[in-house]
Each structure stands twice: as C-alpha cells, then as structure tokens.
C-alpha cells in the first residue's frame, strides 16, 4: 500500500496551493509555516512572514489565503493580526484513520530505502562483566538500528568488542603467572565474574610493579604478533565472554547476535598498513618515538594540538589505529553511507580526531558521514556516580534483577487472570522494559538518575504505563470480538477527544523521521506517552463498547485498534515487549 500522507502534509499542501494563487511565483515557493496548534488542528503564520516581501498588510494577505481555502478539505479562520487557524474536516480525519488502519505499516513510508548505515554500539570488553556503563550505548544503539531499518534503510549492526591491547596483556600475563587461580565456573556469567576480579588484581599489579608491567606489554606484542600459546588463552577468554554477553543481550531484548561482532582484533591485520599509509602521506609524524597525528584545530587546554597516537613508543597499537582501520574497512568494504558511533560523550575529542584523520587520509570521502552519537552518564542516588559500596562498577545483570523485583512489587495488588508462568513473563517484560524506557526517555545528551521505584511506576512517563495502556486496549478489543471490523463511517461527526487521538496517531511517521534525523530515541518515548494520555482522555469522554449507535461503536473500535497497533509498533521499535495481558 502507498504511504499515507500525514494530516499536517495535507494542510501544508492546501496552504501552499492557496499561496500559488495569491502570491508571486517566488514568494509562493516559501515555507507555508504550518505548525500544530492548541486553537485548531494546525496554525499558519505565513501571512505575517510574507507580508513585507509581498507589500501587503498581514491581515489582508491572510484574508486572501482564507478565501482561496474556502470549500476545500481544510477549514480556515482568522486570528489576531494575520494568523490562520486550520482545521481538517471530520470526513478527512476519519479517512486518515481508515487509511492507516488498512496499511500493515500504519501508513509509515520507506524514506531511507537505498541507504546503508553501520550502527556501532554496546562494545563491552572481553573478560569483564557488562556494567551499568554499557546500558546506554546498548539500548540507544539498538533503537536507532530498529528505527532506521523500519524506515527502509539497510542497517549493519556492529558490536566493536574490546578484545585486544594492553588490558589483555595484563590479564593473560597474570593468568600465566598464577595458574593456581581457577576461573572455570558453572556458567559463562560466573566465569566472566571471576575473570573480572582477576583483571582488577592484574591492573593493581601492573600499576605497582614495573617489571610485571613490562612483561604485560611484551605479552601484548606477543598477542599482536600471533604467538600461539597467547592466542590459545585469548580464544578461551573471548569465547566465554561472548556467551555471557549474548545471554544478557537476549534478556535485554536487543538485536545484537554473535554474527554482529566486529571486535578490535579483527582489524589487527590492517594496522601496519594503515599506519604506513599515514606516514607515507605525511599525516602521521614521529613525536618522541611514537607516531602521532596533529590537527591545528584540535587543541588542548594549553592551546597546543592534541596528538592522536597511532603507534606507541614500544611499537604497539592502541584504540586510534584500530578505530581508523575499522572506519576504513566500513567505507571501503561495506560501502556504507553513514557510520554511527554510539558511545559516551567523554569520547567526543577522540572521535573528532579519528574522523579528521580519516578525512585527510581519504578514507572518509565527502559522501560518507561518520557521526559520534554521544550520551550522558547513568548516576546513582543523589546524582553521584553510580558505584557499588566498595567503589566498583555496578553489574548490569544485578540492576535488571532489581528492576524485575520492583515490577513484581508494583503490580502485586493488580487483579489478573494470568497463570504463574504468564505472570513471570509479564513481570520480566515490565522490569526489563522499565530499565530500558527510563534510559531511552531521557534526552541522550543528559545524565539521569537510576531510580528503580520511579522506573516501575504505573503512573507517569514509564514503560510500564505504556505497556498497561496497550494491554488495556487488547482487553477491550477482546471483549468486542469481531465487532466493528466492517470499516469506518466517515460521515459521523468527530468528538474533540476522537479528533485529538486521530491527530496524535497521524503523527507516528513524522516522529520516526525525527528519531532517524536527530538520532534521539526520547522523541519516540515522548510521542508514545502523549498518545497514551490522549487515549486516556478518549476513554473518559467517549464510550466504546456502549457507544450510542452501532456505527459510532465501530468507528471507536477502529480507533482503539489503530492505537493498539501504534503502541505495539512503537514499543517494539524501543525494544520493549507489548504484553496483551497484564
């Protein structure tokens, strides 16, 4: 089915058509300046903005546009010095409902068809457990991947696991020197938990013992050089960690699989080549034994250019070289149009340096966009850094357990007819969804406080509230059976609450476009919350099953069906489940 044109687009087209009949061709091409309004469906102040260029008083110009709109699907009234309040006919809005309901995609088009985007997200470190710091990259990146794909784009998900470099030299050397430590637990998660503790011990020793630090550095060189004994232990660590990560991804409901792994190590064969090209081009230069890239416009607090170290003094490679090799591979081998790096805001300078270097080297051509998608921190109570009592990082699995128990408590007094098994599934969906939604509903640039009690609340802007709204609709529609499935009677007058809900539903495709352009999932969260509130107002004003006439009952059931489908699709794009019963 063809894309359903949004109500706002219909109004813009009507005003633009009136402009062509009133203004000169040059002025008629200007923006009709149509926006949603509290006084009507929409409002245009185009008469005020073009009165000067047109040489006509604003109200006189507005009157001329008003006359041209008369008799069409958009009714106009004048307000103030030249505003046009614009309202679609009831028939046209019922038609919008029918058109979207008839479309399996709810009228959402495929504007990104033909594009190819890499979304680089999550990126935990091998042999270390995922902690609260990994939550934002994982859930934000997953939503962006889902929305871009839903809008028709080809999306390549990539999980750039940290499985290379100094950290591994430390850990592997520590394990080699301490064979008495048994890290083989019952589950992959248990094994990673033990390895995490051993890693911390290795780091303390690395910082305190120069001799061990040197042995660890040599172990990195051995790893990068292909030493078989070192690689064998490294393979064990990566296999165990991969299983632990996948179990957590599945519980979180994110799309990442082992097939999406694009770990640092996979680019090791290209590091010598990448650095050699930078040296040959005169981009990387020697600086006290290390190879560095300097950019005059990227300076530190002292005003001096900040070096991007592509090869260390000891000959080893760090993140910059790997990230450059990764970027080059994505452009040259994957043929992408855009690369999104969903990482902590504190890495902003690093990515500016990497992108600038890649541009200079010709690896990032003008037609390809490399975008850092930064986000703020997850804070603990009182707005302080989120740490355990001992000062360590907070394991992500433990936070999910806490949220699930919180959801269980929050819903304990709700009447239901669920089996014990079904109730467990619903509580898990609510708890996991609560954590994800609390993160996603916050503007990604901002920090936010992790507050389990607030996350699982049945009131306010929470994932649980939206899930309940969907479940309530499913219950109502279940009671109706197949009634009201014959279509929409567009001749009926609209109640204001029906009009408000239809207009809100009509904005679904527009908000998905905003998420895709601005890379901000919280816009979808805000939309769904506003939709749920409009639904509540509709419930209060418009009886559905007890509507006064069969035709009105059918229309209102159609409105409920479209709302349920839109909520379910929106929750799915956020990576949340939409239970039909709660």
């Amino acid at each position: 089915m063809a894309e359903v044109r949004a109500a706002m687009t219909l109004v813009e087209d009507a005003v633009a058509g009136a402009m062509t009949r009133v203004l000169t061709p040059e002025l008629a091409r200007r923006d009709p300046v149509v926006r949603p309004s509290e006084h009507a469906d929409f409002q245009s102040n185009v008469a005020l903005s073009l009165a000067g260029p047109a040489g006509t008083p604003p109200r006189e110009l507005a009157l001329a546009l008003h006359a041209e709109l008369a008799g069409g699907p958009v009714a106009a009234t004048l307000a103030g010095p030249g505003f046009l309040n614009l309202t679609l006919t009831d028939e046209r809005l019922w038609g919008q409902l029918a058109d979207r309901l008839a479309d399996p995609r709810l009228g959402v088009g495929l504007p990104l068809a033909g594009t190819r985007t890499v979304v680089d997200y999550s990126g935990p470190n091998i042999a270390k457990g995922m902690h609260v710091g990994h939550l934002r990259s994982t859930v934000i990146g997953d939503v962006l991947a889902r929305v871009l794909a839903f809008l028709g784009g080809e999306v390549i998900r990539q999980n750039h696991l940290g499985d290379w470099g100094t950290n591994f030299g430390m850990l592997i050397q520590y394990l080699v020197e301490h064979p008495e430590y048994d890290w083989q637990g019952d589950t992959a998660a248990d094994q990673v938990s033990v390895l995490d503790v051993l890693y911390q011990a290795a780091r303390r020793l690395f910082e305190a013992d120069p001799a061990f630090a040197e042995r660890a550095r040599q172990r990195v060189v051995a790893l990068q050089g292909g030493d078989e004994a070192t690689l064998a232990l490294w393979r064990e660590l990566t296999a165990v960690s991969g299983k632990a990560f996948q179990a957590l991804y599945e519980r979180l409901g994110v799309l990442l699989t082992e097939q999406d792994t694009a770990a640092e190590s996979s680019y090791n064969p290209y590091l010598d080549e990448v650095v050699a090209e930078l040296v040959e081009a005169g981009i990387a230069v020697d600086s006290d034994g290390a190879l560095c890239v300097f950019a005059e416009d990227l300076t530190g607090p002292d005003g001096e250019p900040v070096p991007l170290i592509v090869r260390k003094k000891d000959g080893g490679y760090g993140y910059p070289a790997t990230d450059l090799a990764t970027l080059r591979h994505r452009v040259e081998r994957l043929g992408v149009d855009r690369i999104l790096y969903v990482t902590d805001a504190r890495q902003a300078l690093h990515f500016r340096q990497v992108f600038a270097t890649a541009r200079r080297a010709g690896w990032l051509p003008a037609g390809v966009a490399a975008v850092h998608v930064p986000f703020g921190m997850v804070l603990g109570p009182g707005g302080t850094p989120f740490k355990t009592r001992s000062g360590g990082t907070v394991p992500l699995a433990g936070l999910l357990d806490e949220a699930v128990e919180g959801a269980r408590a929050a819903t304990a007094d709700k009447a239901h007819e669920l089996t014990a098994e079904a109730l467990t599934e619903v509580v898990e969906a609510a708890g996991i969804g609560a954590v994800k939604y609390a993160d996603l509903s916050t503007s990604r640039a901002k920090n936010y406080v992790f507050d389990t009690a607030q996350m699982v609340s049945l009131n306010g802007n929470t994932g649980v509230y939206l899930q309940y709204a969907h479940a309530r609709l499913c219950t109502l529609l279940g009671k109706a059976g197949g009634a009201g499935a014959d279509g929409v009677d567009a001749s009926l007058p609209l109640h204001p609450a029906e009009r408000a809900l239809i207009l809100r539903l009509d904005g679904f495709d527009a908000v998905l476009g905003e998420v895709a352009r601005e890379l901000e999932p919280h816009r979808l969260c805000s939309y769904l919350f506003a939709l749920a509130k409009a639904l509540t107002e509709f419930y209060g004003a418009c009886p559905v099953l007890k509507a006064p006439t069969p035709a009105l009952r059918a229309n209102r059931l159609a409105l409920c069906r479209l709302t349920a489908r839109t909520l379910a699709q929106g929750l799915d794009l956020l990576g949340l489940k939409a239970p039909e019963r709660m």
Side-chain angles (χ1 to χ4, degrees), residues 467-487:
Q467 289 170 321
Y468 259 102
H470 176 263
R472 184 180 178 186
L473 279 169
C474 290
T475 299
L476 183 150
L477 292 169
K479 290 178 180 178
D486 298 331

Side-chain angles (χ1 to χ4, degrees), residues 20 22 53 59 64 73 126 136 143 192 249 258-259 267 276 281 306 330 393 454 490 534 539 555 562 573:
T20 62
V22 170
R59 190 169 178 82
I126 294 294
R136 302 214 72 184
V143 173
V192 170
Y249 291 144
E258 292 184 11
Q259 285 67 47
Y267 302 100
V306 179
R330 288 167 172 169
T393 55
Q454 174 59 35
Y539 278 146
N555 277 20
L562 182 59
L573 291 172

